[in-house]
């Protein structure tokens, strides 16, 4: 993805005022820009669906009803920022959501939307699910 295209996507994010769903509500354009301009050999996209906030189930519902949108967001963030891989952290109790997301990743790979040679290009962006036990990111 050309850097001009990246900048245009980040400007669209800025105009939309899309924010993170965590307590801080950090603007998405700021997060993506920070990853894009980070120094280092590799950058990663991490989607935190751990949902440790008491009494909330937003992540569970998003992963159950709209897993493809979550995955598309991770892939888009990876391509725009130049990250080398994506990881979606899901709490171990959410076995149904883990299975749904793993199926969506396989479907996206079969369609050529993630993994190696995205849509027959030179772009690569593998995505994996990682389950964990009561870790707060």
């Amino acid at each position: 993805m050309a850097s001009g295209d990246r900048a245009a996507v980040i400007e669209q994010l800025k105009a939309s005022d899309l924010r993170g769903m965590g307590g801080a509500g950090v603007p998405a354009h700021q997060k993506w820009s920070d990853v894009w301009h980070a120094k280092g050999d590799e950058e990663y996209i991490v989607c935190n669906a751990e949902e440790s906030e008491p009494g909330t189930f937003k992540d569970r519902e998003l992963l159950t009803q709209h897993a493809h949108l979550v995955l598309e967001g991770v892939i888009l963030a990876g391509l725009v920022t130049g990250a080398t891989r994506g990881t979606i952290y899901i709490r171990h109790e959410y076995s149904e959501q883990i299975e749904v997301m793993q199926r969506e990743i396989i479907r996206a790979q079969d369609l050529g939307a993630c993994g190696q040679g995205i849509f027959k290009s030179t772009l690569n962006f593998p995505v994996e699910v990682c389950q964990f036990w009561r870790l707060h990111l």
Side-chain angles (χ1 to χ4, degrees):
M1 180 173 279
S3 63
D5 295 337
R6 292 177 183 181
V9 172
I10 290 175
E11 281 303 311
Q12 287 295 316
L13 278 175
K14 188 174 185 177
S16 75
D17 198 32
L18 180 66
R19 295 176 175 270
M21 295 180 72
V26 176
H29 74 88
Q30 186 62 54
K31 291 180 181 187
W32 290 25
S33 183
D34 288 349
V35 173
W36 179 20
H37 297 295
K39 294 188 183 345
D41 295 331
E42 292 188 32
E43 286 82 27
Y44 307 95
I45 298 300
V46 177
C47 175
N48 179 6
E50 193 273 337
E51 195 160 67
S52 63
E53 303 91 355
T56 62
F57 302 102
K58 68 180 179 351
D59 297 343
R60 182 173 67 186
E61 290 305 308
L62 282 170
L63 294 170
T64 302
Q65 303 297 323
H66 304 291
H68 64 288
L69 295 177
V70 174
L71 179 58
E72 287 173 13
V74 169
I75 295 167
L76 183 60
L79 295 177
V80 169
T81 63
T84 56
R85 66 182 320 105
T87 302
I88 302 171
Y89 282 94
I90 304 174
R91 65 189 312 163
H92 75 281
E93 296 98 342
Y94 287 3
S95 58
E96 177 186 357
Q97 289 75 19
I98 290 168
E99 289 176 23
V100 168
M101 185 55 72
Q102 288 173 330
R103 280 195 309 267
E104 284 300 320
I105 291 170
I106 290 168
R107 186 173 79 81
Q109 290 169 336
D110 290 347
L111 292 170
C114 74
Q116 302 300 310
I118 294 177
F119 297 126
K120 298 182 181 179
S121 73
T122 59
L123 298 172
N124 301 317
F125 191 73
V127 180
E128 66 181 345
V129 171
C130 181
Q131 54 182 308
F132 55 91
W133 304 77
R134 300 302 301 153
L135 170 71
H136 185 70
L137 295 176

